[in-house]
Every structure is written in structure tokens, then in C-alpha cells.
């Protein structure tokens, strides 16, 4: 009887620890504006990137309900852009990542015929989903973008 009680107690403790720690994964909160600013300022771009108004972002990327977004884009003669989307949860973020990938496919189709080198730049785009965040960076330095994103989520 003591063994059974001990096993039940041990199992309860393990389940409690797993529930509290999220099985070893903890969601990190980041400053989406700071990350977007870092991606915009710490990478060299061909053109200046301008912030897109929050209302206008949905003209480019389908936003899921409750998603907050910050986005910077070039004038349109390059495919360069930066965006950070903050969803209400990880499932919504996964849907947002799909929406971002659809946006990039549309962008690539637009650039393919009239500025092919920009379509190639889109192929090197960084799209990262981490917790309830989705980060997009289309630049000439994908390695630097990945480094900045990784640092933000440490």
C-alpha cells in the first residue's frame, strides 16, 4: 500500500512539474517593436525601409483576429521588408506563419517578371515562428537576420 501511495505521489509531482514548466518549453515575451527596429537598423538594405501603418498591414498580409503587427517595407522597387507579428497563442502564430508564406509567394510572383533578382531575394527570406510570434525579414543578409532573431528569443 505504501508503494502504491508513493507511486501516485511521485506521478502527481511529475505531472505538476510538467504542467508548470510546459514540458521544458517556456514562452518568452519579446518587444516586437524593438526586434523590428533591430532588423531594420542592424542590416544593410538597398533602400530605406518605412514603417507601414497598422491599418495598412492587412493590405499585404492577412492578419488573424487579435494579431498585433509591426512592419517595415521598401518603396516597392525592392522586396526588402521586415515584420513581427504577435498572435494570441501558438496556434494563431502558426496560421500567421502560413499567411506570411502566402504573402511571400505572391510577392515572388510579382517580382519574378520585372525584377528577377528581387524574386531571388525572397527565396532567401527568413520566416521564423517562435511561440506566439512570427518574424519576417527579406534582406540581402539572411544570416544576420537569423542571428538577430535568435538573440531576441534567448
Amino acid at each position: 500500500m505504501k508503494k502504491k501511495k508513493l507511486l501516485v505521489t511521485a506521478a502527481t509531482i511529475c505531472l505538476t512539474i510538467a504542467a508548470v514548466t510546459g514540458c521544458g518549453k517556456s514562452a518568452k515575451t519579446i518587444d516586437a517593436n524593438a526586434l523590428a527596429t533591430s532588423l531594420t537598423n542592424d542590416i544593410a538594405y538597398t533602400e530605406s525601409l518605412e514603417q507601414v501603418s497598422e491599418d495598412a498591414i492587412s493590405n499585404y498580409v492577412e492578419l488573424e483576429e487579435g494579431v498585433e503587427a509591426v512592419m517595415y517595407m521598401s518603396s516597392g522597387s525592392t522586396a526588402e521588408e521586415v515584420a513581427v507579428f504577435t498572435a494570441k497563442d501558438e496556434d494563431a502564430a502558426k496560421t500567421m506563419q502560413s499567411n506570411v508564406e502566402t504573402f511571400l509567394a505572391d510577392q515572388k510572383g510579382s517580382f519574378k517578371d520585372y525584377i528577377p533578382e528581387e524574386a531571388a531575394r525572397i527565396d532567401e527570406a527568413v520566416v521564423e515562428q517562435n511561440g506566439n510570434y512570427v518574424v519576417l525579414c527579406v534582406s540581402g543578409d539572411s544570416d544576420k537576420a537569423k542571428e538577430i532573431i535568435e538573440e531576441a528569443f534567448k
Side-chain angles (χ1 to χ4, degrees), residues 72 77 128:
Y72 291 83
S77 60
E128 301 272 337

Side-chain angles (χ1 to χ4, degrees), residues 12-13 46 68 97:
T12 302
I13 290 170
T46 306
E68 295 178 13
Q97 181 177 7

Side-chain angles (χ1 to χ4, degrees), residues 41-151:
N41 293 336
D42 298 343
I43 296 174
Y45 293 92
T46 306
E47 285 193 340
S48 295
L49 300 183
E50 300 295 325
Q51 189 166 5
V52 178
S53 74
E54 205 166 334
D55 293 337
I57 293 171
S58 62
N59 293 331
Y60 303 102
V61 180
E62 181 182 347
L63 295 176
E64 293 300 300
E65 186 177 331
V67 170
E68 295 178 13
V70 57
M71 187 172 199
Y72 291 83
M73 297 181 84
S74 70
S75 67
S77 60
T78 71
E80 297 169 320
E81 52 214 2
V82 167
V84 180
F85 303 93
T86 306
K88 61 184 176 186
D89 57 34
E90 195 167 340
D91 287 339
K94 287 178 182 176
T95 301
M96 262 322 297
Q97 181 177 7
S98 177
N99 295 352
V100 168
E101 290 167 355
T102 298
F103 163 71
L104 286 175
D106 291 345
Q107 286 284 84
K108 184 176 178 180
S110 296
F111 279 106
K112 182 175 67 175
D113 292 331
Y114 79 100
I115 311 176
E117 57 274 12
E118 291 304 312
R121 189 187 314 242
I122 292 170
D123 286 334
E124 300 298 318
V126 176
V127 180
E128 301 272 337
Q129 186 260 321
N130 190 315
N132 62 324
Y133 299 95
V134 177
V135 183
L136 163 66
C137 184
V138 180
S139 70
D141 194 347
S142 296
D143 290 338
K144 180 69 174 174
K146 289 176 186 174
E147 180 183 307
I148 291 168
I149 294 165
E150 188 176 294
E151 185 64 32

